[in-house]
Amino acid sequence: MSTVDVHSGRSTSDGPATPGGPHGPRRTTGRAGGLLDPATLARSLPAALAKLDPRHMVRNPVMFVVEVGSVVTTVLAVVDPSVFAWVIAVWLWITAIFANLAEAVAESRGKAQADSLRRARTDVTARLLVDDTAGERAVPGTELTVGDRVVCEAGDTIPGDGEVVEGVASVDESAITGESAPVIREAGGDRSAVTGGTRVLSDRIVVRITTRPGETFLDKMIGLVEGASRQKTPNEIALNILLAGLTIVFLLTIAALQPMAVYSHARQSVIVLCALLVCLIPTTIGALLSAIGIAGMDRLVQRNVLALSGRAVEAAGDVSTLLLDKTGTITMGARQASEFVPVGGCDPERLASAAQLASLADETPEGRSVVVYAKERYGLRGREVTDAHFVPFSAETRMSGVDLPDGTQVRKGAAAAVMHWVRQGGGEVPDGTSAAVDAVSGTGGTPLLVATRPAGGTAEVQGVIHLKDVVKEGMADRFGELRRMGIRTVMITGDNPLTAAAIAEEAGVDDYLAEAKPEDKLALIRKEQEGGHLVAMTGDGTNDAPALAQADVGVAMNTGTMAAKEAGNMVDLDSNPTKLIEIVEIGKQLLITRGALTTFSVANDVAKYFAIIPAMFASVFPGLDRLNVMQLHSSTSAIASAVIFNAIIIVLLVPLAMRGVKYRARSAASLLRRNVLIYGLGGIVVPFVGIKLIDLLVSHIPGLG
Amino acid sequence: MTIVRTGWIRQHVAALRILVVLTVILGLGYPVATWAVGQVLFRNHAQGSPVESDGRVVGSRLIGQNFTGAAWFHPRASLAGAKGYAAGGDGADGSGGSNLGPSNPELVKAIRARRAAVARENGVAPTQVPPDAVTASASGLDPDISPEYAAIQVNRVAKARNVPAADVRRLVERYTYGRQLGVLGDPHVNVLELNLAVAKLG
Amino acid sequence: MNPTLAAVLSVGLLVAALVVVHRPLGSYLARVYSGTTHLRVERLLYRLSGVDGDGEQRWPAYLRSVLAFSAVSVLLLYGLQRVQHWLPLSLGRQNVAPDMSWNTAASFVTNTNWQSYSGEQVMGHLVQMAGLAVQNFVSAAVGLAVAVALIRGLARSRTDRLGNFWVDLTRGSLRVLLPLAFVAAVVLVGFGAVQNFTHGFDAHTVQGATQHIPGGPVASQESIKELGTNGGGFYNANSAHPFENPTSFTNLFEVFLILLIPFSLPYAFGRMVGDRRQGYAVVAAMAVICLGAVVASGVVEAHHPGAAPTAAGASMEGKETRFGVLASSLFSVGTTMTSTGAVDSWHDSYTALGGGVTLFDMHLGEVTPGGVGSGLYGALVLAVLAVFLAGLMVGRTPEYLGKRIGAREMKLVGLYILVMPATVLVFTGIAVVTKMGTSSILNPGPHGLSEILYAYTSAANNNGSAFGGLSANTMFYNVTTGLSVLIGRFVPIVFVLALAGSLAKQQKVPASAGTMPTHTPLFTVLFVGVILIVAGLTFLPALALGPLAEGLA
């Protein structure tokens, strides 16, 4: 194990401002409570009415049937007007409009975001570099082609997606990420990607354009949040098939009912049959299905994640293996002092003091952590040492330290280097030293040896600083949660197996891949997938791209390279790797919401039958009035109440569809129990109450009572 | 030999061949084997449970036959179509029931008529007439009546034959079969056996 | 003993017997269909028929074999009836009329065994045993084969092979049905069922009349008729005929035979998919619904509401004395819950609600436990639907036994579920408003509607029992019920085998805490809910105008 790279830990400073918290900054906060506010509904109403276009409606078979029913009943109401006919016709229209309203409300939320993104795309003039003369020419951003090189200086808006090929600059990406702190973009390496619409704050860079205008990341984002490029996801398609199937069954049921009614001398009016049909087909879920999908994507956007396909969001719910990079995701990214181990009979206080002295000038996170640890654990205040000579770390000496004005030298560094220094200074390395160093290494920590040499004296080993990868707070709990959700976590690290095992144990991950090279990651993903698992991972580097592409859910960090972003199917604008866990939850929530509302919708039919069947036939077969368990006022009020309930429940459930059914990290069995109880049993009971209440109201309407 | 990729015709030819072979095994071999075992173990049953009286086959223990007149226990109504013995047929070649529905006025009428007739015939109150006496059986060949129906016929039969009612009642008890295994079905009286025994009383 | 207590105990006896045998029989079934070695007689049979017993088939090939075998079966059975007069053992009976032959052939090949003929008047012994009884065996074996193919689809992964239909058919016939049927037939003879090849005998009755007592290979046909959930009676009176069902013991025994394979197959399913609890969850749902219907039927029949039963003092019209009301009602539920269609009493004469129970039993789609094989594959399709609905509620793409339920699977499930209601509702709708349909009705009012609804429900579900008052031997009914049985049998099989093929291809998703468990009581409850709601919502309006209108009056 190398103990050298104390100072070369990978910096994560270009990550988000809150690396510790699992929740990144939110662009917007959930406003689910305000979803039903009249202003929102009124704003969406024109869009909802426009969606009554049959060409739009036909894509949703359930609601298309409702619209056809509305037309038929309206015609009949015109031909043979009655209060009942008009009530039914109007409420069938309202049912169709409510469904469109749900979709329109969901879309309007995306539109607001799209508008703010569009502002960043305002016409940009690009400064195109002309190869031969090295001069530049101003061209509209929309005329750039792939391979063009453009110059951007402080104040310029980058005209398109590309790669920095020259220079380094700080860039304001707030238009996309909503994060105001500037980020560094430089030629070469993993921080070379720039996004069109972002602004250069300082310095000068040359950008090679990699994406055609109109297909840039910003364009894609706008399309996504607007829902313009929304395609039906596999599960949505499957559910649609089921809903279409149920609709056909009920169409048949109603179609066959009339001949049977005729046989029974109880011929029904077409209006009543239309009402029954609309009540039976799964309008609740049919109306809300697309809103649920849009809202699911929207919830991701609110967490600053862009899913490039709805399929990925669904897959997130199915993920059973999560690959997490150790650094920055599981651990803080920098090692921290966690213990001082004196050797050779050294007094711990003295060791602490020496360690702190040696680190005073060490501005690395590790160095600072030694100062802090000495202060917190041993009460040693940071001392202001004047006239001291600080010895910086160098690759040759592999040590750093301080030479005090009194001539005392303090050093800390790699064990071998410090031992060498001690021997050179005439000192001896006590017997226990190697053992203490190995003990620290053995637990996955990084040992730093501390030694002092008084002026003119012999050098003396004081002890070992135990630097440790610190696991972020609460990680073990989160992994426990994931385990209960049936998700296995695998930690990916470049560390040796020993270190990896120790951290894996502490963090509570299920498995780890040590000394991982990018191709190992890819192989691991393939292996998991062959076993039937769905794999999610995050990545940012170009060498992550193949693995990101292979993973079922590949979340690229926005700070990452273009290659990574193109390979993945989601981009996290906050570049917070922990967010994978939230993404999984959102995916699950999306599916749960669909399932819950489908169950609710189908369960509702029971009560509607009890309302409508007696209403239709009790006049001919009085015995059937025993099915009128709700004691509805009259046959017309019963049918109208069922239809009205059917329409109103759609609007009442819009907030649930938008917000999603509350998800808790629990086992599938306990989730199922809870949701079946609420949406299955609830779906049976609620309409009995609702229809009865509506009946109490509408029975006062003259002509219905 | 492989059928997996052969054409349409070959597939049907193979299907026909396998069906013919299975027909030989299942359609000929199996019933013959069952018959052979039946002949050895349960010869009488396999033949149709014939009942002999005075060296003459008088019927099958399992197949109801019509009895009329005061001196005999009467079976249930048989409505096995044209062959039902209510229609003057012998029943056995045309099993079946009335198929009249529970709210069919025709059935209600028939039940009332039977109730009145049975009550009159046996000199009991109409309320004493048990359900099986006023309904038609499923097979039209029901060999049994309920012990209750037998009970209300005892006095009539005894009187007609001029024998003590107690003797007849004892015979009824003898030919009353309880529930099989103590719980299966309903207790019932085999009419043919009872009538043959009654005939011997004189 | 109190009749209710006796009935409860006899149901207990039945349940106990099924509990005892379902494991050994289920294990045996699993072994039969998983084994790789052929019996000598089977090898001979394959050689004689020219089929390869070792190759496995993809689902389209499996399906083509099912259809080819069934098509040939229909033709052969049709032909046999049309020429029976010239065959041995015909008892001199005439060739069967074309429309009746067609109807009977379609009906027996599809395991429906709807009978528009009266056995003792129309069919000779040879047609009965070499035609009808053979189809009793092989149509059940086809059902088993399709069920096993679906199980393989669930159990296997990353393959396009579902097994070999010819092998499955042969094993089902020879290793499963034949030995069981033989033992059962001997038991039936032991209790009085007839088994001979004669015309019967003439008896000289006590009162001097001549009574013809019929003969025939009855016991051998009776046992496979129940065991294969076929239901086509040797005689017109079916299992009410004392020669088919001589005592109350044989009555319970026949119900046991009816339920034997359908209730054992889920155990085989559990074994074949490597998790017996999965089988128990399925069988529990079947048992709950089935027992519920037994209780419901028993209660209404015992209380005998309705004009005629009230006038008679009991619901005894169309019931045999030796069975009584409750044993008959048990049989009626057993037969309608299993697509058997044998009857020991006339459902048409049941109380309106008791008859309604038999009708609703079939509306459930014959999956609780359903016919031999067909019950399980139907139940598994509905399980997939239950999984889809409930599975979403745990936040994953729904999966059953590790197989994801995607668009293709849902399409097949949706189509499967559509077939039966579509067939029943369309034909019923036509029949109730046409003279051809209504002129066959025997009973007036809502009951007439029930008769027609029952006919098509029975046909499309391959049950075969009838509200016998309907004169079904007309051109109209022979043709439409014949079409219904074919649609109701083979169209779903197409979807089931396609589903099996689609499932077999998938890699299994390993189970984890995030997987919706399908072996728990909660799943059973859900499964029951889905079965009841799907059927209930589809048929409630029709039931309201039939049995409910009559029964609640």
Side-chain angles (χ1 to χ4, degrees), chain B residues 101-155:
Chain B
S103 46
N104 193 328
E106 213 182 298
L107 177 57
V108 178
K109 214 169 81 193
I111 287 170
R112 291 205 177 118
R114 286 185 201 124
R115 184 179 295 282
V118 170
R120 194 173 52 245
E121 226 169 60
N122 296 301
V124 296
T127 49
Q128 271 184 284
V129 178
D132 64 310
V134 297
T135 51
S137 66
S139 61
L141 304 170
D142 197 335
D144 307 308
I145 54 176
S146 67
E148 294 77 22
Y149 189 23
I152 62 169
Q153 301 187 56
V154 165
N155 286 335

Side-chain angles (χ1 to χ4, degrees), chain C residues 150 154 367 374-388 400 405 409-418 492-493 495-497 499-500 503 527 530-531:
Chain C
L150 180 58
L154 284 162
V367 294
S374 60
L376 184 67
Y377 65 66
L380 291 178
V381 169
L382 283 175
V384 168
L385 178 66
V387 163
F388 185 82
Y400 187 44
I405 312 305
E409 288 76 21
M410 271 327 285
K411 199 179 293 169
L412 295 167
V413 168
L415 287 168
Y416 177 99
I417 290 170
L418 263 177
I493 283 182
F495 301 134
V496 167
L497 287 176
L499 181 65
L503 294 171
F527 189 17
V530 166
I531 296 171

Side-chain angles (χ1 to χ4, degrees), chain C residues 471-483:
Chain C
S471 314
N473 186 24
T474 66
M475 183 62 94
F476 175 76
Y477 280 103
N478 275 335
V479 172
T480 53
T481 55
L483 280 174

Side-chain angles (χ1 to χ4, degrees), chain B residues 14-35:
Chain B
L16 182 61
R17 284 159 73 173
I18 207 163
L19 179 59
V20 168
V21 178
L22 285 173
T23 299
V24 172
I25 300 172
L26 305 169
L28 301 175
Y30 158 69
V32 168
T34 309
W35 167 79

Side-chain angles (χ1 to χ4, degrees), chain A residues 235 241-242 249 252-253 256 259 263 317-318 484-486 530-531 533-534 588 591-592 595 598-599 609 621 623 626 668 675, chain C residues 158 385 389 392-397 404 407 418 422 425 429 445 448-449 507-508 510 512-515 537-538 541 549 552:
Chain A
N235 172 263
I241 291 169
L242 174 67
V249 167
L252 282 167
T253 302
Y263 169 89
D318 291 348
R484 281 195 294 282
M485 287 155 65
E530 259 163 47
H533 293 283
L534 258 67
K588 287 194 176 295
L591 294 172
I592 291 176
T598 307
T599 307
Y609 264 135
F621 301 112
R626 283 156 76 175
N675 290 329
Chain C
R158 291 195 179 172
L385 178 66
L389 280 177
L392 281 174
M393 283 194 285
V394 306
R396 294 239 298 216
T397 299
R404 288 205 173 85
L418 263 177
L425 291 170
L449 178 73
Q507 161 74 36
K508 267 189 182 241
S512 72
T515 313
L537 296 183
T538 313
L552 296 177

